[in-house]
Amino acid sequence: MAGGGGSSSQCLSYAGCNFLRQRLVLATLSGRPLKIRKIRAREEDPGLRDFEASFIRLIDKVTNGSRIEINQTGTTLYYQPGLLYGGSLEHDCSPSRSIGYYLESLLCLAPFMKHPLKIVLRGVTNDQVDPSVDNLKATALPLLKKFGIDGEGLEIKINRRGMPPKGGGEILFACPVRKVLQPIQFTDPGKIKRIRGTAYSVRVSPQMANRMVESARGILNKFLPDIYIYTDHMKGVSSGKSPGFGMCLIAETINGTILSAELASNPQGQGAAVLPEELGQNCAKLLLEEIYRGGCVDSTNQSLVLLLMTLGQQDVSKVLLGPLSPYTIEFLRHLRSFFQIMFKIETKSPEEEHKGGEKVLMTCVGIGFSNLSKTIR
Amino acid sequence: MEEKEKEKKKKHRAKHSGPKAEKKRKRYLNDLGIGEEEDARKRNPKAFTVQSAVRMARTFHRTQDLKTKKHHIPVVDRTPLEPPPVVVVVVGPPKVGKSTLIKCLIKNFTRQKLVEIRGPVTIVSGKKRRLTIIECGCDINTMIDLAKVADLVLMLIDASFGFEMETFEFLNICQVHGFPKIMGVLTHLDTFKNNKQLKKTKKKLKHRFWTEVYPGAKLFYLSGMVHGEYQKQEIHNLGRFISVMKFRPLTWQTSHPYVLVDRMEDLTNPEDVRINPKCDRKVSVYGYLRGAHLKNKSQIHMPGVGDFTVSDVSFLPDPCALPEQQKKRSLSEKEKLIYAPLSGVGGIVYDKDAVYIDLGGSHAHENEEEGVRPNHELVQSLISTHSAIDVKMASSKVSLFMDSRPLGSEDVGQEFVMPKEERQIDLKTGRVRRKALFDEEEKKENDDAVSDEEDDQEEEEAMSEDGSDGDDEEDAEEESDEGEEMALGSAKRLKTEVAKEESMSELPAFADSEDDLEMSSEEEGKTAPEENEVEEDDYDEQGTYRNESSDSEFEAVSKGVADSEKYEIASEDREMRSQLSARSLKKKTVLTTDSGNCTAEEASESEVESLDEGDDEEQSHDELEAEVSNQKQFQHTWIKKADSSRQNKLEAVEAEDDDIENLLREEEEYEEKTDFSADTAGALKWKEDLTQKAAQAFLRQQQSTPNLRKLVYGTAVEDDEHESEDAGDELGGLFQVRRPDKESKEKANALDCSKFLIEKPQDWDLEEVMSSIKDCFVTGKWEDDKDAAKLLEEDELYGDFEDLETGVVHKGKPAAEGDESENEEEGNDGKKSKPEAEEEEKKKERLDKKRKLKEMFDAEYDEGDATYFDDLKEEMHKQAQLNRAEFEDQDDETRVQYEGFRPGMYVRIEIENVPCEFVLNFDPHYPIILGGLGNSEGNVGYVQLRLKKHRWYKKILKTRDPLILSLGWRRFQTIPMFYIEDHNGRHRLLKYTPQHMHCGATFWGPITPQGTGFLAVQSVSGTTPDFRIAATGVVLDLDKSITVVKKLKLTGFPFKIYKNTSFIKGMFNSQLEVAKFEGAAIRTVSGIRGQIKKALRAPAGAFRATFEDKLLMSDIVFVRTWYPVSIPKFYNPVTSLLKPAGEKDTWRGMKTTGQLRHERGIKLKQNKDSLYKPIVREKRHFNKLHIPKALQKALPFKNKPKNLEKKGKTPKDQWRPAVIREPHEKKISALLNALSTVNNYKIKKARVKHRQQVKEYLKVKQKEEEQKLKRQKEAKKKIYRILGQREKKMQKSSLKGSSEGEKDV
């Protein structure tokens, strides 16, 4: 009789290592156990990679009472979520993926912890694969604020910059705790009023940054005069272990929509050397591409905004997005299987022709999520 | 005569109140000259001037405080447009008149009289309100459950007796679980003969009620009974009160979906029940959804049963709908609906897959008076026919069946709202038909059964199922002979079914589903594919629900045929076809599993039968036979068989369409893959198809919105087109989905990255590309309604709106309309060509403009009053409007997908794996509630509470004693540990709850959101005169680890003491342990503080410690540590609904150790040390005085010990005897003593006095002496002076003449 309750919620099962992060995050938030099979089962090097293992360790760190079982070859993962705990933590991220890989998921979880999360992440801050820390700092944090997650506790601070392959960067991410989220109606992106950005360089000539800025300005000036790109050259201990440079551009509209684009140089010893001018130009073009896609949230944060809408009160939330990325589409499906939530998806073609591509209006009713970890006094 | 009359006449009494008196007073005042100015402020303004600014400020503050106190935090109003019926719970102690009140209320609203009330009764009480009235018994389980779902509580109080414990218990339960509206109703007021006494009692009860609820709570008086009913007018008034009452939303109720079940059906495969009567059941429950949106496949809790996952939800047409048009003032008789399936009202019940007629049990027509039942002629007539024809049941059935046939083909599951009368007709027939089968089958089993019994059974069958559920029990009680048969319940019924089928060879006797099949197959040839689909839908559901083994095989085959036909017919319409096939495939999988469930013998049997019947399907015959043989071969496990049947089917279909086969195979693969859960299945379904056919489907579906939805959620992607796998990488610019065209596995293991990479970047150097985003910047062109220049221009235009502008149409809308208006706008664009339309638009635009300006003005004008509260309220209001408007235009099917089933819908919920006792022991008097659970509320963990023992509960609660908690939807038994928080935040374990203080409690149990209230009882069984609620409180925190600690003191003893350092042993067992405690503070019992320094090697666990003072060897040293307590993982849901009827209030969970010991007479073995013993004081033994020799030497001789010893030995005879006085002597001596004391005192006093006197005397004497001396001195002085003068004279005279001198002398 004793313990008759157990965890009676159904276990979800998936195959393959793709979308591991969103599955783990959603399992944690929904409290449903999860099983992932066939992780690289057919490959020469089967099982979980080091960065995934590191991610799982991170999840273990921020939660209390979760059960994680991995079979011997690492091809099967069983995860029974506990409660999100938070607090002051440190984590060494694997240098094979950037901190952005970890930070993206932490952004989803952080508002629902027991204690406000204050975590130091060490590893690669900027790389070519994942959204960089600069980018997330500029785009994701304003997004969180729209849902009522704000206050001085919310910050991302880059203490040290680390470029691949060796990394050596360090950031601090702090986020306050909320019990409930506000619904949003975010359907009018507004017009872009300014473009900002950061051109960073570590362990290379500080001139690189200036060169990038110049070339990027050259392209963007055709559209808008209000452009300011900061140059950020880090020296000494704060410059990490590998050389590299890159750029992150932010376009801000009058309604507070933030679109972003970024590029980083090839890691040392991999691929051809990139000219900073070329990189600057390409990055600017990427930003234009992002503007063409448009929407109220940039393509990287689509899934974050959809998640926070889902976890809102039982009210209608709306957001206008650009074309859905494959990652987002998958995320929507996961949202349905974890939360039984379906979005109303409407295509909106802009009424005027000079406003970029087609947009998607996403509407949903929140599930009335409340932070079960937070203590009341 | 006149005089007499005058005497008789009463004196005139002037009116003191009422309009007339008022008028008079006014006139009087007018005469006085102060008429109009009744207001003292106006009359006497000086008296109301500001006298003190401080005072004024204070009064202002106070009024503001009072005002704000009234505010509630504004919440978004989420009540749907058509709210569910209000739940009215009628509570009270037994025999207080609950049922009578309900009956009267029902009669008041519907003009119908119910004889017995079982379960909830839903009635239409007004144009906009429905009520669900339910009676609450005195079982604490029922009280707890109903308090959680109640909107309004009618609390009946027997005024002749006063308040009873139940009332207070219920009030306390309500308090904990959110306070619903409570209205008191005093009954039995007619027992008071004395009017004064009555008034007094009323007042007393009212005030007590007010203290419990809130001052001013409504208390209703029902003054007495007339012919066994309450007075009509009073009931009418009460009804008015109820139907205009407003309710404040309660947090728990608005955040969780819940259903108060008004009907329950057992859907278990009767065969399974036959094989194992105790098998888990599949049930469907019905009721209005309340609270929040319910999602399919979500977790629910059934209080009294347990946790389940919803396996299916569907909404049904409202059985008790509100009247459609609202223009009339009152309801017509037709609209005064009543719906109470458990009470058997309404007679006919509609379902998505069945129709039920309630005939009121086997003896219903005998013991009920005519006209008592709601007058449904048809039902009545049915009853009468039944009683008339008792033996020749079969023939009557046939006739009925024939009638019904055309009607039966109609799909009951379709949403249709028809007048009630009409519904009765067609549905009745459908129902009877279904039931007839049951009867006949039953007959066959019980061959020996008497015809009377058959009748009874048939009647039962014909009833609505819930009715029959209830009546089963009745029957069992009434007819003992039949009781045996009924014992097995539906399991046996199934058996009979099968048997009967065999006996009846005529066409009408076949199972209805088969019949359906027949019809559908006939129709298939003629009708369009859509209709086919509909048919199958219906048919399918029946199949799954009945799950009759015989049908399933047959169905599957026929379905295959049907499919093939469909494909042929609908080849032109691609879209339609794909959808259909997708659906049919889904169904097919369901069916195959069904077929797998049955045993082979039955399958074959049924197939033989079906062969007899299904002659029109000639093509499928061969395959069918093959299948039968196949089936017989495989008699191993059901899984295998399912597979085989699937394969068989495949073969059957193969010839006709290859596509289908392929699809089926895919389906199979997919089936195998998704063996985990339904959800996963859903999730994987799209994946498979998507990766394989992504591109092609894409191109086609790209443009329209629903296809975008399908792309994401994959409802339409299961089409059969997989001809081309050429991936379109550039798809209209919106979606550039790049999926590896190989297997999904590869995709599944792809790189996990959220970035949306650009496949084909545009050339941003080109002018046209650049211009495509030109307007995204502030430098680009602005919309008309935002462009400053344009706005200015328009403002000028606004004045002369008569002027017709040409060509240019302003698209811009006021910002207030937002995106909603876009569609509308597009619609307008279409009409652009027509000039009138243009004008119309202009006009509209102007109106909009005007409105906008007015809004702006209003906003500006009202700015002054707008407080934060108002703003917040406004915000909430806007959100509520948006919530309502967003999905308004969609049909329910789609809407349900987006937002879930919304409250107010009448839903049917299927639940699987329900314990069989739930069905077997079903008692309609006990409410069944389905409470939806939020995310992770189905999980368990450690829950921390703030708890206070109820002040009326007589005992205190002991840690680690099991306690029954009502928390959230649940009632469960668990083992709480009480703790109290110390000042440093430590949670220290308590052994008992404090008496009048809050304490903390932690238990292992279901995770429930913080802030949820709970109550605890020690037992839910039986009744006690005492108050049953043991404690109340609130959830504070949820965790997966424990923080409660208890004190543990480790003691040790010094074995070596230096100055301030000591070596302590016995506290630890090893050096390692000591190492762990290095630096810890220790203390002796006597209070000397110290510190652990370092472990010693010699005795294991000994250590060196320093203290602030030197220890004694007798000291005990201890270290105080805190040890985390383990909380027993005991969570035991109260399964009171599973108890047999009549014993539902006897649930007993785990007993406390105390109870167990008491029951078994086990005495607690006491610790020996804790026992009290007689105190034995040891005699104190002192050592001899030892004087060192050196000292002895120094002593004087007589004090030397050896001399002392000698001296001490005085012979006895020299001892002086002690004098013991007699009392008399004692008295004398005491008196003497006293006298002598007095005497002594006197003497002493006299002596003192004497001394004083002497002193004074001497003083005086001395003074006199001094005086005397002084005088003598002066006299002497005088004499000597005279003598001196004389001598001088003499000397002078001698000098002159001695004679002279001699003379003088």
Side-chain angles (χ1 to χ4, degrees), chain B residues 1061-1127:
Chain B
T1061 303
S1062 305
F1063 290 174
I1064 317 283
K1065 65 175 181 186
M1067 194 180 283
F1068 302 111
N1069 293 318
S1070 69
Q1071 276 189 316
L1072 198 69
E1073 280 180 30
V1074 178
K1076 181 92 178 144
F1077 283 88
E1078 256 173 34
I1082 48 179
R1083 207 158 66 89
T1084 65
V1085 176
S1086 52
I1088 304 170
R1089 288 168 298 182
Q1091 200 181 27
I1092 296 176
K1093 288 295 183 193
K1094 195 144 201 205
L1096 293 175
R1097 200 163 298 167
F1103 59 89
R1104 175 166 58 86
T1106 55
F1107 291 88
E1108 57 187 2
D1109 202 352
K1110 196 176 174 183
L1111 296 192
L1112 292 176
M1113 283 303 276
S1114 59
D1115 269 328
I1116 300 172
V1117 182
F1118 66 87
V1119 60
R1120 205 172 58 149
T1121 60
W1122 297 95
Y1123 183 75
V1125 180
S1126 72
I1127 292 168

Side-chain angles (χ1 to χ4, degrees), chain B residues 144 202 206 258 285 355 405 428 504 524 530 532 596-597 620 675 713 748 833 847 857-858 893 1007 1080 1188 1234 1265:
Chain B
I144 287 172
K202 270 185 183 175
K206 184 174 76 181
Y258 61 96
V285 293
V355 189
R405 204 168 170 198
K428 169 209 86 187
M504 298 294 286
E524 257 168 46
E530 296 100 312
N532 268 342
N597 267 324
S620 61
D675 45 347
Y713 293 117
S833 56
L847 281 174
F857 174 76
D858 282 350
E893 286 287 353
I1007 281 175
E1265 202 81 3

Side-chain angles (χ1 to χ4, degrees), chain B residues 23-217:
Chain B
K23 224 188 258 172
K24 262 189 179 170
R25 199 173 300 134
K26 222 173 196 177
R27 204 187 304 150
Y28 172 71
L29 286 172
N30 258 339
D31 292 347
L32 283 180
I34 45 171
E36 290 309 304
E37 291 179 23
E38 278 161 45
D39 189 5
R41 264 170 204 282
K42 283 180 191 165
R43 210 171 57 229
N44 187 7
K46 270 190 183 173
F48 294 93
T49 49
V50 178
Q51 264 147 359
S52 158
V54 178
R55 181 128 174 240
M56 199 175 183
R58 272 193 199 140
T59 41
F60 178 75
H61 272 217
R62 191 175 146 68
T63 44
Q64 288 300 312
D65 280 354
L66 289 177
K67 224 167 149 188
T68 21
K69 230 181 183 176
K70 279 180 193 159
H71 290 166
H72 291 280
I73 288 183
V75 285
V76 180
D77 177 24
R78 298 197 179 95
T79 47
L81 284 176
E82 195 168 309
V86 170
V87 179
V88 181
V89 175
V90 182
V91 264
K95 294 282 171 207
V96 80
K98 296 186 292 279
S99 315
T100 323
L101 181 68
I102 293 176
K103 278 174 204 164
C104 289
L105 276 175
I106 290 169
K107 199 183 164 199
N108 173 51
F109 284 119
T110 63
R111 313 269 170 252
Q112 287 189 8
K113 209 170 172 185
L114 286 190
V115 175
E116 204 197 348
I117 290 157
R118 278 178 283 158
V121 179
T122 306
I123 51 177
V124 179
S125 73
K127 283 186 290 181
K128 286 178 183 170
R129 178 160 289 184
R130 291 170 291 178
L131 307 175
T132 295
I133 307 176
I134 187 164
E135 184 182 330
C136 175
C138 293
D139 181 7
I140 198 150
N141 293 312
T142 321
M143 281 159 64
I144 287 172
D145 289 351
L146 283 177
K148 289 172 189 171
V149 297
D151 294 314
L152 169 68
V153 175
L154 290 184
M155 189 155 269
L156 265 65
I157 300 151
D158 183 349
S160 63
F161 186 85
F163 286 103
E164 285 170 60
M165 273 303 175
E166 281 86 355
T167 313
F168 288 117
E169 278 166 358
F170 196 81
L171 278 169
N172 272 288
I173 294 168
C174 285
Q175 245 160 5
V176 162
H177 297 298
F179 219 132
K181 263 261 155 63
I182 292 182
M183 201 153 102
V185 179
L186 286 188
T187 59
H188 295 260
L189 285 172
D190 47 349
T191 50
F192 287 94
K193 296 284 176 273
N194 185 352
N195 209 23
K196 203 173 174 188
Q197 182 66 27
L198 172 68
K199 259 188 188 171
K200 251 172 120 182
T201 318
K202 270 185 183 175
K203 198 177 170 189
K204 212 175 72 195
L205 291 177
K206 184 174 76 181
H207 282 282
R208 186 77 195 104
F209 188 66
W210 283 3
T211 51
E212 284 301 322
V213 185
Y214 62 89

Side-chain angles (χ1 to χ4, degrees), chain B residues 123 237 516 740 1039:
Chain B
I123 51 177
N237 289 346
D516 257 338
D1039 214 335

